[in-house]
Each structure stands twice: as structure tokens, then as C-alpha cells.
């Protein structure tokens, strides 16, 4: 098992450019989510998905889109990058839904470091 | 959501036990306590979780007070590789919900 795989590891964008951060998991996990991490802010939830075809917003969804067409993949799209989106982005998955009657831990990828100039 | 409070930072000598406290005084009866850690900019790593009983695994022990308003993560013999930020999280109520990470405790293990 590769676990949770994020690509690319590093990315530099100019303001206004668009891009997609990729996230894939091979553990057949239903739940997937995206976090961003900024210095002194901890991890903040952007979007999450409880299964293929279902997505919902987290704490900081503005400027980001997601879709979940398969169980394995959960890409995060930046439609028009802004310097405020400079951050480290983490994708995470778990077997079942956090908060439901289960206790599956989250598995994280190793992050994508994005700089917007 | 039940909020958690952790010290900003702690030090521990290598080989000694590291005891990391967490306050979660508004926890609900069916909410679990989870601990994760993040080593140097890697993705967070799951450590342990519990509901009301104390738990132990190969990484750590989790002690939850009887009233469940606080817990302590214990690394029994800390090593330099345990230097990391440790997050205490309470799984929120409701379905399909969102784990919220605070700023955690930065544990520095020293020689």
C-alpha cells in the first residue's frame, strides 16, 4: 500500500494562475479531506468528502474547488491563485467518517508546498 | 465542537517519559479523544485514541480522567525522534464531520 499520495511536492504559481493538487489513496477509504497549514495556525480544513460524488465545505473553502468522481482520488483545484493561498496543503483519508459512530484515524499524505507570487 | 487546550511547548530529556496534557472540558459523552503528531513538516501521524478507558499501543499511552475533561499522552521513553508538534483532538458530534486541529504542543526532546 502506498497510503495517501500527493502530487506535486512543490509548486510555484503566479497570481491568477490555476492548478490542481492531486491526492490519491489506495486503502479504499470513504472519507477524504484537504487541509492547509500556515505558520501559527495549525491545520485548517478546506473541503472534505464522505464518498464518491459527495463533497462539503470545511472551515476555509473560499478559492478552492473539489470533486470526488472515484473513491481513490480527491483533487483540489485553485481556480485563480492568490498570494494568500501560499501554504502547505495536506490530504487525508480514513476508512469511515470522522464524527460518525466510528473511530477510524486519519491517514495523511506528505503535503504539497505551494507558493503564489 | 468540543475545544481542546494544550500547552504551547514542552521540553523533555531523552530517555525520560514525556507527559503531554490536554484539556477538553466540554467533551460530550460519545466523543473520542485522538492524538496525532507532526514531525518537521511531514504529514501528521496518528498516535492513539480513546473514549473513556486508558489505552496503550506501541507508540504511547493515553490516560483519560474519570470525568473525561482532560487527558494525558505519555511517551514512556522519549527519543530525539519524538521531537514534534503533538495535537490533541476531540472528534466532534454529528455525522460526516470535520476533525479540527488546533496549534498543538511543540515537544522538544533534548540530550
Amino acid at each position: 500500500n502506498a497510503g495517501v499520495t500527493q502530487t506535486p511536492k512543490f509548486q510555484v504559481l503566479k497570481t491568477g494562475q490555476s492548478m490542481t493538487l492531486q491526492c490519491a489513496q489506495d486503502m479504499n477509504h470513504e472519507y477524504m479531506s484537504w487541509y492547509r497549514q500556515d505558520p501559527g495556525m495549525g491545520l485548517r480544513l478546506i473541503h472534505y468528502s464522505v464518498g464518491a460524488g459527495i463533497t462539503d465545505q470545511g472551515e476555509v473553502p473560499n478559492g478552492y474547488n473539489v470533486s470526488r468522481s472515484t473513491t481513490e482520488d480527491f483533487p483540489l483545484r485553485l481556480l485563480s491563485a492568490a498570494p494568500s493561498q501560499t501554504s502547505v496543503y495536506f490530504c487525508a483519508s480514513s476508512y469511515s467518517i470522522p464524527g460518525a459512530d466510528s473511530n477510524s484515524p486519519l491517514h495523511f499524505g506528505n503535503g504539497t508546498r505551494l507558493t503564489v507570487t | 465542537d468540543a475545544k481542546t487546550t494544550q500547552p504551547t511547548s514542552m521540553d523533555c530529556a531523552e530517555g525520560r517519559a514525556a507527559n503531554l496534557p490536554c484539556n477538553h472540558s466540554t467533551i460530550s459523552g460519545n466523543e473520542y479523544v485522538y492524538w496525532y503528531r507532526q514531525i518537521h513538516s511531514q504529514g501528521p501521524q496518528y498516535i492513539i485514541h480513546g473514549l473513556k478507558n486508558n489505552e496503550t499501543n506501541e507508540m504511547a499511552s493515553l490516560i483519560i480522567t474519570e470525568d473525561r475533561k482532560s487527558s494525558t499522552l505519555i511517551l514512556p521513553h522519549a527519543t530525539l525522534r519524538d521531537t514534534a508538534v503533538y495535537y490533541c483532538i476531540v472528534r466532534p458530534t454529528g455525522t460526516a464531520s470535520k476533525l479540527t486541529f488546533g496549534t498543538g504542543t511543540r515537544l522538544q526532546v533534548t540530550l
Side-chain angles (χ1 to χ4, degrees), chain B residues 29-105:
Chain B
N30 62 348
E31 292 182 299
Y32 282 78
V33 179
Y34 285 81
W35 284 83
Y36 288 79
R37 72 181 181 183
Q38 187 173 23
I39 296 173
H40 187 55
S41 310
Q42 296 175 19
Q45 176 190 26
Y46 165 78
I47 302 172
I48 198 166
H49 70 277
L51 183 63
K52 56 179 77 169
N53 297 323
N54 298 338
E55 302 287 344
T56 296
N57 64 19
E58 64 278 2
M59 290 181 69
S61 294
L62 175 60
I63 308 298
I64 302 174
T65 58
E66 194 167 337
D67 64 8
R68 302 207 327 119
K69 293 186 177 182
S70 65
S71 60
T72 301
L73 178 75
I74 300 172
L75 308 178
H77 304 287
T79 70
L80 296 176
R81 287 176 294 180
D82 292 320
T83 293
V85 177
Y86 287 77
Y87 297 97
C88 168
I89 300 157
V90 172
R91 193 190 71 195
T93 56
T95 59
S97 225
K98 321 160 190 179
L99 283 179
T100 303
F101 286 71
T103 52
T105 296

Side-chain angles (χ1 to χ4, degrees), chain A residues 35 37 48 99 102-103 106 113, chain B residues 34 36 38 41 91 94 96 99:
Chain A
Y35 288 84
Q37 186 171 37
Y48 65 98
S102 71
N103 52 26
L106 281 174
R113 283 145 186 82
Chain B
Y34 285 81
Y36 288 79
Q38 187 173 23
S41 310
R91 193 190 71 195
L99 283 179

Side-chain angles (χ1 to χ4, degrees), chain B residues 6-39:
Chain B
Q6 298 178 254
T8 304
S9 63
M10 295 180 64
D11 291 331
C12 179
E14 190 177 33
R16 304 296 296 267
N19 298 294
L20 290 90
C22 180
N23 181 287
H24 33 78
S25 57
T26 60
I27 192 170
S28 298
N30 62 348
E31 292 182 299
Y32 282 78
V33 179
Y34 285 81
W35 284 83
Y36 288 79
R37 72 181 181 183
Q38 187 173 23
I39 296 173

Side-chain angles (χ1 to χ4, degrees), chain A residues 20-79:
Chain A
T20 299
L21 280 63
Q22 302 291 345
C23 176
Q25 52 90 11
D26 61 358
M27 297 173 282
N28 202 30
H29 284 172
E30 288 295 323
Y31 179 88
M32 296 186 75
S33 55
W34 277 100
Y35 288 84
R36 61 176 288 174
Q37 186 171 37
D38 303 295
M41 300 288 289
L43 288 115
R44 292 183 292 169
L45 182 67
I46 305 171
H47 285 284
Y48 65 98
S49 168
V50 300
I54 307 169
T55 64
D56 205 346
Q57 296 182 348
E59 293 176 75
V60 289
N62 292 341
Y64 307 95
N65 279 357
V66 291
S67 60
R68 185 94 180 271
S69 55
T70 67
T71 299
E72 294 78 19
D73 300 298
F74 190 44
L76 179 72
R77 294 186 195 82
L78 284 70
L79 298 178

Side-chain angles (χ1 to χ4, degrees), chain A residues 11-25:
Chain A
Q11 182 71 50
V12 179
L13 291 177
K14 293 190 190 314
T15 298
Q17 286 185 316
S18 63
M19 81 157 294
T20 299
L21 280 63
Q22 302 291 345
C23 176
Q25 52 90 11

